[in-house]
Amino acid sequence: MAVTYQIDSVHSRNEKDSLTDVCDWFYWVATDKEIVSGAEHKGYVQGKCELGDPDSGSFVAYSDLTEAIMLGWLDAMMPAEEKTRVETEIANQIAISKENNVVTSKQGLPWQS
């Protein structure tokens, strides 16, 4: 599979530097999974992206944000070394799960099947 990044939550404020509806930072999560013999092995890393002071020339109000916009910001702001570290950590978690034969996603409870 491939590592997927998603936005987990967003912090905003009503006003900052004469702009309104301003996003200050957001939390992201990166995940991947591998299915081996019907068992799903997962890995994930969470992080925070601080946006700094808003630029009135490229400002996007909180109410107009999309996940695609925010993932673009994350991609632009995350150094290549950090992205490599995140993706290596996820791969390591999956490898450990497979080595230990850990299944992370059984549906329901054993007595409910």
Side-chain angles (χ1 to χ4, degrees), residues 18-30:
S18 75
L19 297 170
T20 58
D21 208 16
V22 179
C23 176
D24 286 323
W25 69 79
F26 59 90
Y27 291 101
W28 53 267
V29 63

Side-chain angles (χ1 to χ4, degrees), residues 38-109:
E40 187 174 81
H41 303 276
K42 294 181 182 181
Y44 74 95
V45 172
Q46 297 172 303
K48 180 180 179 180
C49 184
E50 302 230 12
L51 296 173
D53 293 330
D55 175 7
S56 61
S58 61
F59 175 72
V60 179
Y62 174 84
S63 58
D64 294 327
L65 288 174
T66 65
E67 187 169 44
I69 290 170
M70 298 185 79
L71 289 174
W73 292 347
L74 178 62
D75 188 54
M77 296 176 74
M78 182 183 282
E81 304 83 32
E82 176 66 4
K83 186 173 184 177
T84 298
R85 185 198 68 76
V86 165
E87 295 181 5
T88 299
E89 171 62 23
I90 291 169
N92 289 340
Q93 290 174 20
I94 291 170
I96 290 168
S97 176
K98 290 183 339 188
E99 287 171 12
N100 295 324
N101 199 23
V102 175
V103 179
T104 57
S105 67
K106 292 256 185 190
Q107 298 296 319
L109 299 168

